[in-house]
Amino acid sequence: MKPIKAKDLLELDKEMKVVLLNATPNPQTLVWQGGKNDYSEEPIHTKIPPSETDCGKWAIDQLLANERGHWGPLEHPSITFDCVGFVHNVMVQARTHRIGVSFDVQSQRYTGRRVLKVAKGELQPKQVFYVRPPGLYLDRKGHKYEWAQDDYERQLKFCLAASERYADGYENRGMAEEHLRDYLPQNIRQNFVASFSLRAILHFLDLRAKLDAQVEIQALCESMVPAIKQWVPEIFSYYEEKRLHRARLSP
């Protein structure tokens, strides 16, 4: 049996997904305008850019290829994702990246109704809390261990018990949500909205899509890739060939 990978996790846990909310139109053209401006005698808005495809090829040839490392113009375009159903720990890891990135995170002070619904049986614990699906996993040093079906079910029972305790405090004692969230296990799911510059999202993938990163945050990266690939096809093709999963020093 092989260890569970990011793609496996996304197949096994359908609560986790990434939805594209917004993105700069013609992003590779904007990269061209930013980069070309640096040695243009005339204001860049007066120049007619090449096609979006050719702008992407220019960015590779003039900015990135042969380790040129001119990543600055890639800071102009931005992309925004709705990250849904990811465990709290993934959000915490993702939120450590602040350069060229902005986050809005679902508050546990205002979104406790979902926990009450678990206690009442209106939602299943797995819809509100994340528990690793049964399978083989790796620790940080690459050692394998098995997480069995019994382990999975026992952890879900702990989540249910925490939800029931939460509901008792809320409904019978009038406790505040910011107090009650201390009753909840760390594996609660939290939705978050994340915006990245193009440079920042590639930096993020360098650090978090590498194969020794936690598998759940690899799954977050895996979910983002299709939208990025469609958004900047030429630039991402270069990035995928040269950097993705390679744990390169981030630009």
Side-chain angles (χ1 to χ4, degrees), residues 116-129:
L116 298 177
K117 288 182 177 180
V118 172
K120 295 175 182 178
E122 296 173 7
L123 288 175
Q124 298 178 38
K126 69 178 182 179
Q127 293 177 274
V128 177
F129 300 91

Side-chain angles (χ1 to χ4, degrees), residues 107-118:
S107 172
Q108 293 180 42
R109 187 181 186 190
Y110 301 107
T111 60
R113 298 291 179 184
R114 57 201 175 115
V115 178
L116 298 177
K117 288 182 177 180
V118 172

Side-chain angles (χ1 to χ4, degrees), residues 4-174:
I4 287 179
K5 297 183 178 180
K7 288 183 179 180
D8 304 324
L9 204 60
L10 292 169
E11 286 296 319
L12 293 167
D13 189 319
K14 297 299 185 182
E15 302 297 328
M16 296 188 295
K17 63 181 178 180
V18 169
V19 177
L20 176 66
L21 291 182
N22 210 337
T24 301
N26 302 315
Q28 297 179 143
T29 297
L30 187 55
V31 171
W32 180 91
Q33 289 171 317
K36 197 77 169 177
N37 176 77
D38 294 355
Y39 51 91
S40 173
E41 296 284 353
E42 303 299 327
I44 198 64
H45 76 270
T46 65
K47 296 183 177 294
I48 299 175
S51 68
E52 174 73 1
T53 296
D54 286 341
C55 284
K57 293 177 179 177
W58 178 91
I60 295 166
D61 292 341
Q62 300 299 319
L63 302 178
L64 307 179
N66 299 317
E67 303 297 332
R68 285 186 175 86
H70 298 314
W71 293 88
L74 276 70
E75 294 175 5
H76 295 292
S78 65
I79 189 167
T80 301
F81 298 104
D82 185 13
C83 305
V84 178
F86 286 88
V87 67
H88 170 78
N89 291 331
V90 162
M91 180 278 297
V92 170
Q93 290 177 51
R95 212 176 181 189
T96 62
H97 305 281
R98 304 300 301 177
I99 304 301
V101 188
S102 181
F103 291 91
D104 278 285
V105 179
Q106 185 181 34
S107 172
Q108 293 180 42
R109 187 181 186 190
Y110 301 107
T111 60
R113 298 291 179 184
R114 57 201 175 115
V115 178
L116 298 177
K117 288 182 177 180
V118 172
K120 295 175 182 178
E122 296 173 7
L123 288 175
Q124 298 178 38
K126 69 178 182 179
Q127 293 177 274
V128 177
F129 300 91
Y130 169 78
V131 177
R132 280 185 166 178
L136 199 64
Y137 289 89
L138 301 175
D139 68 11
R140 291 186 61 190
K141 297 180 180 180
H143 301 144
K144 298 178 183 179
Y145 66 92
E146 184 178 1
W147 177 250
Q149 183 68 30
D150 287 348
D151 297 316
Y152 173 79
E153 293 175 0
R154 184 168 60 251
Q155 187 66 27
L156 284 177
K157 289 179 181 178
F158 292 151
C159 297
L160 176 58
S163 300
E164 291 171 343
R165 186 182 179 204
Y166 182 105
D168 177 66
Y170 182 82
E171 295 172 349
N172 299 325
R173 300 185 62 192

